[in-house]
Amino acid sequence: MNSWDWSNVDTFMPRFWDGLLVTLQALVLGTLIAFSLGLVWAIAQRSENTWIRWPVTAVTEFIRNTPLLVQLFFLFYVLPEWGPAMSPLTTGIIGLGLHYSTYTAEVYRAGINGVPIGQWEAATALNLPKTRTWTAVILPQAIRRVVPALGNYVVSMLKDSPMIAVIGAFEMLGEAQAYSNETFTTEAITIVGVAFICIAYPASLLIRVLERRLVQ
Amino acid sequence: MMTSGMFWTWFLPGIWVTIQVTIYSAALAAAVAFIVGPLRTSRFWIVRFLAGTYFEIFRGTSALVLMFWMFFALPLFGWQLVPMWAGVSALGLTYGAYGSEIVRGALAAVDPAQREAGIALSFTRFQRLRRIELPQAWPEMIPPFNNLLIELLKGTALVSVITVADMTFAGNLVRLGSNESAPIYTLLLVLYFVIAFVLTRGMRVVERHAKANIGQAPEKQPGFLSRKLSARGESAQAGTQSAGGIG
């Protein structure tokens, strides 16, 4: 460590907190999109109507098997040709949310498949309408057991969030990169790397606790 | 439309670079996974602890941040990595950590009686691992490895950020050169999807062979890309993603 300089750490810290705030903002909003959209995909994939089921499956498989980075470029450079231009952060949040919604859809799907068939039959026997079967019988049981798996994808999303720096959003990596380019130093990028471990490791411990409490 | 010169001089070689980066980092990740995975079941706590620490650190960092760090910060400590090798090492070390969890999980799922039989026949630890445990754990590992390989392929797009001329990098160049972004990015997404499809098909062939080798019939899998996971598979994969502590 011949070139570590604590004064660089001091000057970078205010910008680090700004970046952390943007990262968390992207993470929270992206998670909201991913969780809600994923549920929509999962239910649509079980639809009896082929014209809903097939296109939704095709689109989610496509999004899930292509890189988030290229999707972000697509949203940022191609979409404004047809619709309104969005800020880098908004684009990033939508990109993260959309990409991870295809993963959460698989998680919900696994959870829904895990609900015993008798529950469906009981709902039919009680003559419950379709919406009530979903909201009162199936989803409460399905979601409970997939909460840890969903949590894992939040951690994954946190680790993918630096990608939005590439389209110009100033989250942690973006701030570190800007600072490093101005000062020709590398402390900032090291701090950000350590920060990711400091957030991701306790988060995964928390998920482990959840796993033990909810799944059985 | 795209300027054809750009397309031939950058984009086609870019596809080859993407494939190369995928192969090299997959090889590195496999090596790391098969070394660190068994070490995490070692009987010495210090070995378990060190392997566990490796796993937690590389699973906790973002691959992109690690790549940046290797590219910009390592030279100051005296190592200058060629951009492509900085990218390959970052991807290989990160995905190797995920892979080690798959190897560990599959080894743990082998019937304990098999290990005991190995002890009874006075095999050494290494012989037991090589002759008894790994061959039986291997078919179990292939579906999660397939998922990881696709994640790795998607991860290779990140190397474009540290100036490796892969197909995403070339796509950006074409956009800058022609001011047409829709065709090139659509083509890029389709190409990644096609490569992912080919890899998944290949892995299914490998799985069928591996299962046949230990006398199991292959399972029928649904879905046109067949990367969908069963409820059991999803929770198993969830386990490899981030839950779990040291040891």
Side-chain angles (χ1 to χ4, degrees):
Chain A
M1 298 237 174
N2 48 357
S3 57
W4 185 267
D5 184 356
W6 285 102
S7 69
N8 276 321
V9 178
D10 287 342
T11 36
F12 174 63
M13 269 339 238
R15 295 175 67 168
F16 169 79
W17 296 119
D18 290 347
L20 180 65
L21 204 66
V22 176
T23 297
L24 292 180
Q25 202 181 337
L27 185 66
V28 170
L29 295 175
T31 304
L32 283 179
I33 296 178
F35 282 6
S36 40
L37 206 54
L39 192 55
V40 174
W41 298 143
I43 295 175
Q45 281 180 8
R46 294 183 60 98
S47 161
E48 284 130 28
N49 188 341
T50 326
W51 292 104
I52 297 174
R53 193 174 63 227
W54 201 86
V56 168
T57 312
V59 168
T60 51
E61 288 283 300
F62 188 79
I63 295 176
R64 206 155 53 94
N65 285 284
T66 49
L68 174 59
L69 188 68
V70 183
Q71 290 166 7
L72 288 174
F73 285 138
F74 190 93
L75 290 174
F76 194 62
Y77 294 113
V78 179
L79 222 54
E81 287 177 15
W82 303 320
M86 293 178 292
S87 76
L89 182 60
T90 317
T91 312
I93 290 169
I94 293 176
L96 276 173
L98 186 65
H99 189 78
Y100 275 94
S101 72
T102 60
Y103 284 91
T104 54
E106 287 302 299
V107 175
Y108 286 126
R109 194 183 66 90
I112 293 168
N113 286 348
V115 176
I117 191 99
Q119 299 288 327
W120 291 93
E121 289 163 355
T124 313
L126 292 169
N127 210 11
L128 289 182
K130 223 175 182 163
T131 23
R132 204 152 151 65
T133 308
W134 276 106
T135 56
V137 181
I138 304 301
L139 288 182
Q141 297 182 65
I143 290 175
R144 186 184 156 84
R145 71 183 81 192
V146 297
V147 166
L150 289 176
N152 280 323
Y153 284 114
V154 177
V155 179
S156 294
M157 205 189 294
L158 167 74
K159 286 180 289 184
D160 274 354
S161 67
M163 281 189 211
I164 67 176
V166 176
I167 53 167
F170 278 90
E171 48 67 76
M172 287 200 279
L173 181 66
E175 292 282 5
Q177 218 187 328
Y179 183 84
S180 303
N181 288 345
E182 288 159 22
T183 57
F184 302 104
T185 55
T186 56
E187 284 84 358
I189 191 100
T190 310
I191 295 172
V192 170
V194 174
F196 270 99
I197 303 178
C198 292
I199 303 172
Y201 183 57
S204 65
L205 289 185
L206 181 74
I207 291 163
R208 236 194 158 184
V209 173
L210 274 179
E211 211 160 25
R212 227 171 288 139
R213 296 198 49 178
L214 287 178
V215 172
Q216 270 78 44
Chain B
M1 274 310 288
M2 300 167 210
T3 41
S4 63
M6 274 268 194
F7 188 79
W8 293 106
T9 47
W10 287 100
F11 201 77
L12 289 185
I15 299 175
W16 175 231
V17 172
T18 293
I19 293 172
Q20 272 180 304
V21 172
T22 309
I23 294 173
Y24 294 147
S25 34
L28 177 59
V32 170
F34 279 102
I35 294 170
V36 176
L39 286 185
R40 292 183 59 202
T41 60
S42 165
R43 68 193 143 148
F44 303 110
W45 73 267
I46 183 75
V47 176
R48 274 204 314 273
F49 176 78
L50 289 177
T53 308
Y54 171 86
F55 170 67
E56 291 297 342
I57 287 178
F58 281 89
R59 205 194 48 176
T61 35
S62 164
L64 185 59
V65 175
L66 184 65
M67 214 178 272
F68 261 98
W69 191 82
M70 286 195 159
F71 188 56
F72 292 112
L74 267 191
L76 293 189
F77 300 118
W79 296 300
Q80 176 76 61
L81 288 177
V82 181
M84 181 153 145
W85 292 111
V88 166
S89 344
L91 288 172
L93 293 175
T94 309
Y95 287 90
Y98 291 125
S100 77
E101 178 69 10
I102 295 173
V103 173
R104 191 191 66 82
L107 284 178
V110 173
D111 190 347
Q114 296 288 333
R115 195 168 43 246
E116 286 157 12
I119 297 170
L121 293 169
S122 85
F123 279 35
T124 64
R125 271 172 180 277
F126 185 73
Q127 279 175 326
R128 231 153 58 212
L129 195 66
R130 200 172 85 82
R131 299 276 181 192
I132 300 176
E133 292 174 40
L134 276 179
Q136 294 186 63
W138 171 235
E140 283 292 305
M141 295 178 203
I142 295 172
F145 271 152
N146 180 19
N147 285 321
L148 203 58
L149 188 60
I150 307 294
E151 295 299 320
L152 178 65
L153 168 71
K154 287 158 60 185
T156 60
L158 297 179
V159 297
S160 67
V161 179
I162 55 166
T163 71
V164 179
D166 78 328
M167 61 188 192
T168 307
F169 187 82
N172 284 333
L173 280 186
V174 172
R175 172 180 58 83
L176 291 170
S178 64
N179 271 325
E180 280 272 0
S181 49
I184 192 66
Y185 284 129
T186 310
L187 178 65
L188 255 185
L189 288 172
V190 170
L191 272 175
Y192 276 109
F193 185 76
V194 168
I195 300 177
F197 184 82
V198 171
L199 286 178
T200 304
R201 289 284 141 169
M203 288 298 267
R204 285 187 68 190
V205 174
V206 174
E207 188 186 358
R208 210 167 308 134
H209 277 277
K211 285 206 162 155
N213 273 346
I214 59 164
Q216 287 177 3
E219 276 173 56
K220 256 186 113 64
Q221 288 168 313
F224 65 98
L225 199 68
S226 303
R227 201 155 83 75
K228 290 201 174 273
L229 297 156
S230 62
R232 189 174 60 89
E234 180 58 59
S235 52
Q237 194 212 21
T240 66
Q241 285 267 330
S242 85
I246 292 178

XYZ file of all heavy atoms in Angstrom, chain A residues 61-71 99 103, chain B residues 150 154 188-194 196 227:
209
model
N -38.436 -14.504 -20.707
C -37.242 -15.316 -20.992
C -36.191 -14.476 -21.721
O -34.997 -14.587 -21.444
C -37.610 -16.521 -21.874
C -38.386 -17.598 -21.153
C -37.511 -18.444 -20.258
O -36.582 -19.075 -20.766
O -37.758 -18.459 -19.039
N -36.648 -13.639 -22.635
C -35.701 -12.810 -23.387
C -34.984 -11.835 -22.461
O -33.762 -11.711 -22.506
C -36.434 -12.047 -24.496
C -35.506 -11.319 -25.427
C -34.847 -12.003 -26.435
C -35.260 -9.961 -25.268
C -33.967 -11.350 -27.279
C -34.385 -9.299 -26.112
C -33.736 -9.999 -27.120
N -35.754 -11.167 -21.605
C -35.136 -10.180 -20.710
C -34.178 -10.871 -19.739
O -33.101 -10.368 -19.441
C -36.218 -9.394 -19.942
C -37.051 -8.575 -20.924
C -35.593 -8.485 -18.891
C -38.195 -7.832 -20.295
N -34.575 -12.068 -19.278
C -33.762 -12.752 -18.273
C -32.444 -13.271 -18.859
O -31.484 -13.470 -18.129
C -34.554 -13.931 -17.703
C -34.150 -14.331 -16.316
C -35.289 -15.005 -15.621
N -35.820 -16.105 -16.424
C -35.419 -17.365 -16.271
N -34.526 -17.669 -15.380
N -35.940 -18.300 -17.022
N -32.416 -13.507 -20.169
C -31.222 -14.105 -20.763
C -30.352 -13.115 -21.527
O -29.472 -13.521 -22.272
C -31.625 -15.262 -21.679
C -32.017 -16.474 -20.867
O -31.173 -17.169 -20.336
N -33.301 -16.710 -20.726
N -30.613 -11.826 -21.369
C -29.758 -10.826 -22.022
C -29.188 -9.893 -20.956
O -29.785 -9.729 -19.890
C -30.541 -10.024 -23.074
O -31.752 -9.565 -22.495
C -30.859 -10.871 -24.289
N -28.015 -9.302 -21.212
C -27.341 -8.537 -20.154
C -28.078 -7.250 -19.777
O -28.576 -6.541 -20.641
C -25.986 -8.177 -20.781
C -25.859 -9.001 -21.992
C -27.220 -9.365 -22.439
N -28.113 -6.998 -18.480
C -28.716 -5.765 -17.966
C -28.043 -4.529 -18.563
O -28.701 -3.540 -18.894
C -28.604 -5.746 -16.435
C -29.059 -4.479 -15.726
C -30.511 -4.166 -16.024
C -28.873 -4.611 -14.221
N -26.721 -4.601 -18.726
C -25.979 -3.442 -19.242
C -26.498 -3.021 -20.619
O -26.756 -1.843 -20.866
C -24.489 -3.782 -19.321
C -23.557 -2.623 -19.650
C -23.528 -1.627 -18.505
C -22.163 -3.116 -19.939
N -26.685 -4.016 -21.496
C -27.169 -3.709 -22.847
C -28.617 -3.221 -22.783
O -29.015 -2.323 -23.530
C -27.031 -4.936 -23.764
C -27.469 -4.605 -25.174
C -25.604 -5.432 -23.772
N -29.409 -3.802 -21.863
C -30.785 -3.322 -21.694
C -30.807 -1.867 -21.262
O -31.651 -1.085 -21.708
C -31.521 -4.184 -20.675
C -31.816 -5.576 -21.189
C -32.228 -6.511 -20.089
O -32.425 -6.110 -18.943
N -32.358 -7.786 -20.420
N -35.473 -5.869 -15.259
C -34.592 -7.036 -15.361
C -34.868 -8.010 -14.214
O -35.048 -9.207 -14.434
C -33.139 -6.582 -15.328
C -32.161 -7.661 -15.647
N -31.914 -8.074 -16.934
C -31.376 -8.433 -14.858
C -31.018 -9.038 -16.916
N -30.674 -9.283 -15.676
N -36.691 -12.325 -12.779
C -36.205 -13.301 -11.798
C -37.241 -13.524 -10.696
O -37.509 -14.659 -10.304
C -34.903 -12.816 -11.151
C -33.705 -12.955 -12.031
C -33.318 -11.925 -12.872
C -32.950 -14.109 -12.022
C -32.217 -12.047 -13.683
C -31.847 -14.249 -12.830
C -31.473 -13.211 -13.662
O -30.391 -13.335 -14.464
N -24.938 -18.722 -17.790
C -25.702 -17.671 -18.468
C -25.467 -16.333 -17.766
O -25.290 -15.295 -18.416
C -27.206 -18.001 -18.491
C -27.459 -19.383 -19.068
C -27.983 -16.951 -19.262
C -27.116 -19.548 -20.509
N -23.847 -12.974 -19.419
C -24.407 -11.629 -19.297
C -23.398 -10.699 -18.643
O -23.323 -9.516 -18.974
C -25.697 -11.680 -18.481
C -26.845 -12.289 -19.251
C -27.922 -12.827 -18.353
C -28.530 -11.763 -17.482
N -29.503 -12.336 -16.539
N -27.710 -6.612 -30.717
C -26.897 -7.039 -29.583
C -27.698 -7.944 -28.649
O -27.238 -9.028 -28.273
C -26.473 -5.804 -28.780
C -25.055 -5.306 -28.898
C -24.849 -4.159 -27.935
C -24.082 -6.425 -28.586
N -28.906 -7.474 -28.276
C -29.730 -8.259 -27.351
C -30.040 -9.626 -27.942
O -29.934 -10.651 -27.259
C -31.030 -7.508 -27.040
C -30.879 -6.273 -26.143
C -32.189 -5.508 -26.062
C -30.446 -6.676 -24.745
N -30.380 -9.649 -29.243
C -30.713 -10.921 -29.881
C -29.495 -11.845 -29.880
O -29.607 -13.042 -29.594
C -31.242 -10.692 -31.319
C -31.358 -12.006 -32.074
C -32.589 -9.995 -31.273
N -28.304 -11.285 -30.175
C -27.098 -12.111 -30.199
C -26.820 -12.741 -28.837
O -26.507 -13.932 -28.750
C -25.894 -11.266 -30.618
C -25.659 -11.199 -32.122
C -24.514 -10.243 -32.415
C -25.327 -12.581 -32.662
N -26.944 -11.927 -27.755
C -26.721 -12.488 -26.419
C -27.715 -13.601 -26.143
O -27.378 -14.643 -25.584
C -26.843 -11.404 -25.344
C -25.577 -10.628 -25.130
C -25.462 -9.310 -25.536
C -24.481 -11.216 -24.507
C -24.303 -8.595 -25.345
C -23.312 -10.512 -24.307
C -23.226 -9.199 -24.732
O -22.077 -8.510 -24.545
N -28.970 -13.381 -26.584
C -29.990 -14.386 -26.342
C -29.658 -15.679 -27.084
O -29.789 -16.777 -26.531
C -31.358 -13.848 -26.776
C -32.485 -14.770 -26.454
C -32.947 -14.866 -25.154
C -33.070 -15.547 -27.433
C -33.985 -15.724 -24.838
C -34.107 -16.402 -27.119
C -34.566 -16.490 -25.823
N -29.180 -15.528 -28.328
C -28.847 -16.719 -29.119
C -27.694 -17.485 -28.471
O -27.742 -18.715 -28.345
C -28.497 -16.328 -30.573
C -27.878 -17.490 -31.325
C -29.735 -15.833 -31.296
N -26.884 -17.486 -25.326
C -27.415 -18.109 -24.106
C -28.182 -19.382 -24.453
O -28.062 -20.406 -23.770
C -28.327 -17.134 -23.363
N -34.552 -23.012 -18.907
C -33.735 -22.554 -17.785
C -34.647 -22.311 -16.590
O -34.241 -21.795 -15.572
C -33.001 -21.270 -18.169
C -31.789 -20.995 -17.305
C -30.812 -20.139 -18.052
N -31.132 -18.724 -17.985
C -30.949 -17.968 -16.939
N -30.492 -18.478 -15.822
N -31.219 -16.696 -16.960
